[in-house]
Amino acid sequence: MSKRVINIAAVPGDGIGPEVIDAGMEVLNAVAKRDGGFVIKSERFDWGSERYLKKGDFMPENGLETLKAFDSILFGSAGDPRVPDHITLWGLRLKICQTLDQYANVRPARLLPGIEGPLKGVTSKELDWVIVRENSEGEYAGVGGRVHQSLAEEVGMDVAVFTRTGVERIQRFALELARSRPRKKLTLVTKSNAQRHGMVFWDSVFEQIKGDYPDVETDKMLVDAMTTRMVLKPETIDTVVATNLHADVLSDLAAALTGSLGIAPTGNLRPEKDAPSMFEPIHGSAFDIMGKGIANPLGTFWSAAMLLEHEGELDAAKRLMKAIERVTGEGKHLPRDLGGTATSREVTDAVLEAIQQSNE
Ligand code: IPM
Ligand code: MG
């Protein structure tokens, strides 16, 4: 019988992207081999700021069409000090997310074994969250403009766009995700005291649909108060849903509270699976450590585990996650951002070995 093939487009992007994506592909191939039920086929696309500086675009004109032929995308990072950030973002990452309508951005935040976060006495029992970020509109809709440029009356405007389709689908996605987790809790985060149109709309859509999920316990928080709750009462939080910008900010805080931005993973999901989803570490391009071989690949490995889960390879996803946890738990091969001295190669080898040794 021929084995199932998972076709992955690897887009390393800028900075440390290529280092962590190479490591991620190595680990994915190893876990496929160990699992035996499927194989990984991949193609690498050198899209990003280097290409933009040479050719004027981040990806070829048919780049999005090319991506559609793949099952999933493993993305490194986008950002280069020589190119303004908003140009990079809109030229590559947002272009992929928005055109392929990967509307559900899922950001797990959990304290891994052996890792001490900045919160005293807090373990993975208290800090085990998933932040669901609306990923197609809101404050990132790109609507707005500049007028009277460089005159005294200059104006800059960004308009947040919330559609019923966009709000309802992300809230339903989060309610379903919460339902699949042991605690079945979802916190809706908005800012409806100040943003009296779009955010009140978010609240009212939630009121209309949450009754369809009677088994999910829900509550509601303003985004500023949520930051305090994350720090002071982490154990009261399980699943969170918020707008594109609010969840962007909350997920950085969540990553810091789990020990380092270097381990935080994310999936830009197209839940309908009629277009590929994209998985990436959230740490960014980290130009200061580029090429030194010390980048933390764990965020990419965790993202790769999310990719396998999305592809339905649940045993392989679990095996990879366990391997990551074994390495953090043993604490012998931790990268610098987690208090160790291991190089990317050493961390990768430790995870590869843990995959080999896993026996479930
Ligand atoms: C993230 C990042 C991006 C975002 C940046 C790089 C534009 O912060 O993935 O959280 O804001 O979406
Ligand atoms: Mg961010």
Short mmCIF file of all heavy atoms in Angstrom, two decimals, residues 175-207:
data_model
loop_
_atom_site.label_atom_id
_atom_site.label_comp_id
_atom_site.label_asym_id
_atom_site.label_seq_id
_atom_site.Cartn_x
_atom_site.Cartn_y
_atom_site.Cartn_z
N LEU A 175 -15.08 28.54 20.32
CA LEU A 175 -16.00 27.78 21.17
C LEU A 175 -15.79 26.29 20.96
O LEU A 175 -15.78 25.50 21.91
CB LEU A 175 -17.44 28.19 20.86
CG LEU A 175 -17.88 29.53 21.47
CD1 LEU A 175 -19.04 30.15 20.69
CD2 LEU A 175 -18.27 29.36 22.94
N GLU A 176 -15.59 25.90 19.69
CA GLU A 176 -15.37 24.48 19.43
C GLU A 176 -14.04 24.00 19.97
O GLU A 176 -13.92 22.90 20.51
CB GLU A 176 -15.49 24.19 17.93
CG GLU A 176 -16.91 23.79 17.59
CD GLU A 176 -17.28 23.97 16.14
OE1 GLU A 176 -16.42 23.70 15.28
OE2 GLU A 176 -18.43 24.37 15.87
N LEU A 177 -13.03 24.84 19.84
CA LEU A 177 -11.71 24.48 20.38
C LEU A 177 -11.78 24.34 21.90
O LEU A 177 -11.25 23.39 22.48
CB LEU A 177 -10.67 25.54 19.98
CG LEU A 177 -9.24 25.25 20.43
CD1 LEU A 177 -8.70 24.03 19.70
CD2 LEU A 177 -8.34 26.44 20.14
N ALA A 178 -12.47 25.29 22.53
CA ALA A 178 -12.62 25.22 24.00
C ALA A 178 -13.32 23.92 24.39
O ALA A 178 -12.93 23.24 25.34
CB ALA A 178 -13.40 26.43 24.49
N ARG A 179 -14.32 23.56 23.62
CA ARG A 179 -15.08 22.35 23.88
C ARG A 179 -14.20 21.10 23.81
O ARG A 179 -14.44 20.13 24.52
CB ARG A 179 -16.19 22.28 22.82
CG ARG A 179 -16.95 21.02 22.77
CD ARG A 179 -18.01 21.07 21.69
NE ARG A 179 -19.27 21.53 22.20
CZ ARG A 179 -20.34 21.80 21.44
NH1 ARG A 179 -20.26 21.69 20.13
NH2 ARG A 179 -21.46 22.19 21.99
N SER A 180 -13.18 21.14 22.97
CA SER A 180 -12.32 19.97 22.81
C SER A 180 -11.26 19.87 23.90
O SER A 180 -10.52 18.90 23.98
CB SER A 180 -11.62 20.02 21.44
OG SER A 180 -10.59 21.00 21.47
N ARG A 181 -11.15 20.89 24.74
CA ARG A 181 -10.12 20.88 25.78
C ARG A 181 -10.74 20.43 27.11
O ARG A 181 -11.93 20.62 27.34
CB ARG A 181 -9.49 22.28 25.91
CG ARG A 181 -8.60 22.59 24.70
CD ARG A 181 -8.17 24.01 24.62
NE ARG A 181 -7.54 24.53 25.84
CZ ARG A 181 -6.25 24.36 26.17
NH1 ARG A 181 -5.46 23.66 25.39
NH2 ARG A 181 -5.79 24.91 27.28
N PRO A 182 -9.90 19.86 27.98
CA PRO A 182 -10.48 19.28 29.21
C PRO A 182 -11.31 20.25 30.04
O PRO A 182 -12.34 19.88 30.58
CB PRO A 182 -9.24 18.83 29.99
CG PRO A 182 -8.13 18.76 29.00
CD PRO A 182 -8.47 19.66 27.86
N ARG A 183 -10.90 21.50 30.12
CA ARG A 183 -11.62 22.41 31.02
C ARG A 183 -12.81 23.10 30.36
O ARG A 183 -13.61 23.75 31.04
CB ARG A 183 -10.64 23.44 31.60
CG ARG A 183 -9.68 22.77 32.60
CD ARG A 183 -9.02 23.80 33.48
NE ARG A 183 -8.03 24.56 32.73
CZ ARG A 183 -7.59 25.76 33.09
NH1 ARG A 183 -8.06 26.35 34.16
NH2 ARG A 183 -6.68 26.37 32.36
N LYS A 184 -12.86 23.06 29.05
CA LYS A 184 -14.01 23.62 28.30
C LYS A 184 -14.37 25.04 28.71
O LYS A 184 -15.53 25.33 29.00
CB LYS A 184 -15.24 22.72 28.45
CG LYS A 184 -15.05 21.29 27.98
CD LYS A 184 -16.40 20.57 27.97
CE LYS A 184 -16.31 19.07 27.86
NZ LYS A 184 -15.40 18.54 26.85
N LYS A 185 -13.35 25.91 28.77
CA LYS A 185 -13.61 27.29 29.18
C LYS A 185 -13.15 28.25 28.10
O LYS A 185 -12.08 28.07 27.52
CB LYS A 185 -12.81 27.62 30.45
CG LYS A 185 -13.45 27.13 31.72
CD LYS A 185 -12.61 27.49 32.91
CE LYS A 185 -12.59 28.99 33.16
NZ LYS A 185 -11.92 29.29 34.46
N LEU A 186 -13.94 29.27 27.85
CA LEU A 186 -13.53 30.27 26.86
C LEU A 186 -13.75 31.67 27.40
O LEU A 186 -14.82 32.00 27.92
CB LEU A 186 -14.34 30.10 25.56
CG LEU A 186 -14.05 31.16 24.48
CD1 LEU A 186 -12.62 31.02 23.94
CD2 LEU A 186 -15.04 31.04 23.32
N THR A 187 -12.72 32.51 27.29
CA THR A 187 -12.86 33.92 27.65
C THR A 187 -12.89 34.76 26.39
O THR A 187 -11.98 34.68 25.55
CB THR A 187 -11.68 34.36 28.55
OG1 THR A 187 -11.62 33.51 29.70
CG2 THR A 187 -11.86 35.80 29.00
N LEU A 188 -13.93 35.56 26.26
CA LEU A 188 -14.03 36.51 25.14
C LEU A 188 -13.37 37.80 25.59
O LEU A 188 -13.73 38.37 26.62
CB LEU A 188 -15.50 36.77 24.82
CG LEU A 188 -15.75 37.94 23.86
CD1 LEU A 188 -15.38 37.57 22.44
CD2 LEU A 188 -17.22 38.39 23.91
N VAL A 189 -12.37 38.24 24.81
CA VAL A 189 -11.68 39.49 25.16
C VAL A 189 -12.02 40.57 24.14
O VAL A 189 -11.85 40.37 22.94
CB VAL A 189 -10.15 39.25 25.19
CG1 VAL A 189 -9.41 40.56 25.38
CG2 VAL A 189 -9.78 38.27 26.30
N THR A 190 -12.50 41.69 24.63
CA THR A 190 -12.77 42.83 23.73
C THR A 190 -12.35 44.12 24.45
O THR A 190 -11.61 44.08 25.44
CB THR A 190 -14.26 42.92 23.34
OG1 THR A 190 -15.04 43.11 24.52
CG2 THR A 190 -14.73 41.70 22.58
N LYS A 191 -12.83 45.22 23.94
CA LYS A 191 -12.59 46.50 24.61
C LYS A 191 -13.84 47.34 24.36
O LYS A 191 -13.79 48.43 23.78
CB LYS A 191 -11.31 47.15 24.04
CG LYS A 191 -10.90 48.45 24.70
CD LYS A 191 -10.43 48.29 26.14
CE LYS A 191 -10.23 49.66 26.77
NZ LYS A 191 -9.96 49.59 28.22
N SER A 192 -14.98 46.76 24.76
CA SER A 192 -16.25 47.35 24.35
C SER A 192 -16.68 48.52 25.21
O SER A 192 -17.70 49.15 24.92
CB SER A 192 -17.34 46.27 24.33
OG SER A 192 -17.27 45.49 25.49
N ASN A 193 -15.87 48.85 26.23
CA ASN A 193 -16.21 50.08 26.95
C ASN A 193 -15.74 51.31 26.16
O ASN A 193 -16.40 52.33 26.13
CB ASN A 193 -15.61 50.08 28.37
CG ASN A 193 -14.11 49.80 28.38
OD1 ASN A 193 -13.52 49.45 27.36
ND2 ASN A 193 -13.49 49.98 29.54
N ALA A 194 -14.61 51.17 25.46
CA ALA A 194 -14.08 52.32 24.71
C ALA A 194 -14.41 52.27 23.23
O ALA A 194 -14.82 53.25 22.63
CB ALA A 194 -12.57 52.39 24.90
N GLN A 195 -14.24 51.06 22.65
CA GLN A 195 -14.51 50.93 21.21
C GLN A 195 -15.97 50.53 21.05
O GLN A 195 -16.30 49.35 21.05
CB GLN A 195 -13.55 49.90 20.61
CG GLN A 195 -12.10 50.35 20.70
CD GLN A 195 -11.16 49.29 20.18
OE1 GLN A 195 -11.01 48.21 20.74
NE2 GLN A 195 -10.50 49.59 19.07
N ARG A 196 -16.80 51.55 20.92
CA ARG A 196 -18.23 51.31 21.13
C ARG A 196 -18.98 50.79 19.90
O ARG A 196 -20.18 50.61 19.96
CB ARG A 196 -18.89 52.58 21.64
CG ARG A 196 -18.71 53.73 20.69
CD ARG A 196 -19.20 55.01 21.30
NE ARG A 196 -18.97 56.10 20.36
CZ ARG A 196 -19.63 57.23 20.36
NH1 ARG A 196 -20.55 57.43 21.26
NH2 ARG A 196 -19.35 58.16 19.49
N HIS A 197 -18.28 50.59 18.79
CA HIS A 197 -18.96 50.03 17.62
C HIS A 197 -18.53 48.57 17.38
O HIS A 197 -19.27 47.65 17.69
CB HIS A 197 -18.68 50.89 16.38
CG HIS A 197 -18.99 52.34 16.61
ND1 HIS A 197 -20.26 52.78 16.85
CD2 HIS A 197 -18.18 53.42 16.69
CE1 HIS A 197 -20.24 54.09 17.06
NE2 HIS A 197 -18.99 54.50 16.97
N GLY A 198 -17.33 48.43 16.87
CA GLY A 198 -16.86 47.08 16.52
C GLY A 198 -16.81 46.13 17.71
O GLY A 198 -17.17 44.95 17.59
N MET A 199 -16.37 46.64 18.86
CA MET A 199 -16.22 45.74 20.01
C MET A 199 -17.56 45.38 20.65
O MET A 199 -17.75 44.26 21.13
CB MET A 199 -15.26 46.36 21.03
CG MET A 199 -13.83 46.49 20.54
SD MET A 199 -12.98 44.90 20.35
CE MET A 199 -13.60 44.34 18.81
N VAL A 200 -18.48 46.33 20.63
CA VAL A 200 -19.83 46.02 21.12
C VAL A 200 -20.47 44.98 20.18
O VAL A 200 -21.17 44.07 20.62
CB VAL A 200 -20.69 47.31 21.23
CG1 VAL A 200 -22.14 46.98 21.59
CG2 VAL A 200 -20.07 48.25 22.27
N PHE A 201 -20.16 45.11 18.91
CA PHE A 201 -20.63 44.13 17.92
C PHE A 201 -20.06 42.75 18.26
O PHE A 201 -20.79 41.74 18.26
CB PHE A 201 -20.20 44.61 16.53
CG PHE A 201 -20.56 43.70 15.39
CD1 PHE A 201 -21.84 43.16 15.27
CD2 PHE A 201 -19.63 43.39 14.40
CE1 PHE A 201 -22.17 42.33 14.21
CE2 PHE A 201 -19.95 42.55 13.35
CZ PHE A 201 -21.21 42.02 13.24
N TRP A 202 -18.77 42.67 18.57
CA TRP A 202 -18.15 41.38 18.96
C TRP A 202 -18.91 40.78 20.15
O TRP A 202 -19.24 39.61 20.16
CB TRP A 202 -16.68 41.60 19.37
CG TRP A 202 -15.69 41.24 18.32
CD1 TRP A 202 -15.50 41.91 17.14
CD2 TRP A 202 -14.75 40.16 18.33
NE1 TRP A 202 -14.50 41.32 16.43
CE2 TRP A 202 -14.01 40.24 17.13
CE3 TRP A 202 -14.44 39.16 19.24
CZ2 TRP A 202 -13.00 39.34 16.82
CZ3 TRP A 202 -13.43 38.26 18.93
CH2 TRP A 202 -12.72 38.35 17.72
N ASP A 203 -19.16 41.62 21.16
CA ASP A 203 -19.87 41.13 22.35
C ASP A 203 -21.25 40.60 21.98
O ASP A 203 -21.69 39.56 22.47
CB ASP A 203 -20.06 42.27 23.37
CG ASP A 203 -18.76 42.59 24.11
OD1 ASP A 203 -17.76 41.88 23.90
OD2 ASP A 203 -18.75 43.57 24.88
N SER A 204 -21.95 41.33 21.08
CA SER A 204 -23.33 40.93 20.81
C SER A 204 -23.37 39.66 19.96
O SER A 204 -24.23 38.79 20.17
CB SER A 204 -24.14 42.07 20.20
OG SER A 204 -23.79 42.23 18.85
N VAL A 205 -22.45 39.49 19.04
CA VAL A 205 -22.40 38.24 18.27
C VAL A 205 -22.17 37.08 19.23
O VAL A 205 -22.81 36.03 19.15
CB VAL A 205 -21.29 38.29 17.18
CG1 VAL A 205 -21.11 36.92 16.54
CG2 VAL A 205 -21.63 39.33 16.11
N PHE A 206 -21.27 37.28 20.20
CA PHE A 206 -20.97 36.21 21.16
C PHE A 206 -22.20 35.82 21.96
O PHE A 206 -22.49 34.64 22.16
CB PHE A 206 -19.84 36.67 22.09
CG PHE A 206 -19.20 35.55 22.85
CD1 PHE A 206 -18.42 34.59 22.21
CD2 PHE A 206 -19.34 35.46 24.24
CE1 PHE A 206 -17.81 33.56 22.91
CE2 PHE A 206 -18.74 34.42 24.95
CZ PHE A 206 -17.98 33.47 24.28
N GLU A 207 -22.95 36.85 22.39
CA GLU A 207 -24.19 36.58 23.13
C GLU A 207 -25.16 35.74 22.29
O GLU A 207 -25.85 34.87 22.80
CB GLU A 207 -24.89 37.90 23.53
CG GLU A 207 -24.24 38.61 24.70
CD GLU A 207 -24.09 37.71 25.93
OE1 GLU A 207 -25.07 37.01 26.28
OE2 GLU A 207 -22.99 37.66 26.50
#
